[in-house]
Amino acid sequence: MLLHVIFVLSPILSLIPSVTAHGFVTQVIIDGTTYTGNVPNAQPSDSPIRQISDISPVKGANNPSLNCGLNAQLATMVVPANPGSVVEFYWGNPGQQNWPHNTGPLMTYMAACDTSTCDKFNGSTAKWFKIDQIGKKPDGTTWYQQDVMNRQPVSVTLPLNVTPGDYLVRHEIIALHLAVTLGGAEFYPSCTQIRVGGSQTGEPNQIVSFPGAYNDNDPGIYDPDVYSPGSVYVFPGPPVSNLASPADSSGEQAPSASSSSGANPNTPTTKGTKPTSTGGSGVLPTQSSNHMVCRLKKQDTSALRRSTGITEHKRHMSFMRAIRGVFYHS
C-alpha cells in the first residue's frame, strides 16, 4: 500500500515548490563590476558578500542573525564604490533555481564600519540607516519581489553625500507569504562590504540596530491583510534616511511604520529615476540611459507574471485533498 501511495503522489509532489528552496545573494554588481557570493556553508573564496550558513530564513525580529544573515561570517574583500554608485543584487540558491517567493518588501540599509575596516568589523554594534525600500508596484497588487522571482536584480543607488569610508550594505528581503500568522514572516538579510570614496560630509538622521529595529507585531511584519486586494503596505523599520539618493528617498506605496527607535513615518510618493555617480560632488547630474535601464528593471512588465500567495494556498489545498483521497480509497 505504501508503494502505491508513493506512486500516486509522485506526480503531485513534483508540482509543489520545495519548501527548502529559499536563497541568498548570489551576485552583487557595483558600477558594472561583478562580485560573486559564496554558497552557504561551502568552502569560501574571496568575496565582499558575507557568507551565511544556510539558505533558510531568519525567524523572529529579535534573532541576532537579523543583522547580516544566518551565522554570517566576515568577508575577505572590501570593494570600491562611489557616491551615487548603482548596486545590483541578484538572488538565487545553490541549485541555480529562481528565488521562490513573490510577496513582501525589499529594503536596503548602510552602516559605517566605524571601529575598523569592514573585513574586520563584527557588525553586531552597527548603526544602520535605510537607503531604499520598495513594496508593491503601482497596480497595488503585484510586489517588486515578483521580479526577483523572475531572476531580475534589485538596483539601489548609494547616497550622494555619505561620508567616505568603509560601510556594510545590508540588503534584505522580507517574505510575507506566511505573515498572516504572528511570527510567520521570513527575513533574508545579506551584507556586502564596500569602501566609499570622495570627500562628502553627510551624516544620517535616523539610525537603528539589528536586532532592535523591528518587532514581530509591526504592521509590515505581521500582516493579516497581506492577500487582501488593494491593501496598503506599511514598511517596518525607520523611514528612508535623509542621505538616500533622490531616486531611493521614498517608498513605493505607503509610509514606514514607526520603529522602536521612535522614527517618524515616511511620506508616500513614487520613486524617480536613479542619478548617475557624481564622484562625490553632491550635485545631481543629468540622468543617463544606463541608469534609466536600472530603474526600468523595477517596472511592471506583464500581468501574466503575477503569482500570488492565494494561488499557492489553493494549490496546497488541492494537494491535501489528493492525499486524503489516496488514503481513503487505497
Side-chain angles (χ1 to χ4, degrees), residues 163-200:
T163 302
D166 281 18
Y167 288 86
L168 292 176
V169 180
R170 179 185 180 275
H171 181 58
E172 173 185 43
I173 291 177
I174 303 181
L176 298 178
H177 54 287
L178 301 176
V180 294
T181 301
L182 186 64
E186 297 182 352
F187 302 94
Y188 297 89
S190 174
C191 289
T192 301
Q193 302 170 173
I194 66 170
R195 181 164 296 149
V196 178
S199 57
Q200 310 75 237

Side-chain angles (χ1 to χ4, degrees), residues 231-244:
S231 63
V232 176
Y233 181 71
V234 180
F235 291 96
V240 174
S241 172
N242 60 310
L243 292 184

Side-chain angles (χ1 to χ4, degrees), residues 210-298:
F210 284 107
Y214 302 156
N215 291 305
D216 285 323
N217 59 358
D218 284 346
I221 294 174
Y222 169 51
D223 192 350
D225 298 323
V226 68
Y227 294 128
S228 298
S231 63
V232 176
Y233 181 71
V234 180
F235 291 96
V240 174
S241 172
N242 60 310
L243 292 184
S245 162
D248 293 319
S249 61
S250 60
E252 289 294 338
Q253 186 193 25
S256 168
S258 296
S259 70
S260 58
S261 63
N264 293 324
N266 294 332
T267 301
T269 62
T270 301
K271 289 185 183 179
T273 304
K274 285 185 180 292
T276 56
S277 174
T278 63
S281 67
V283 179
L284 184 64
T286 303
Q287 295 163 347
S288 70
S289 59
N290 287 339
H291 292 106
M292 286 289 289
V293 171
C294 288
R295 298 307 299 155
L296 287 173
K297 289 175 182 176
K298 291 181 180 177

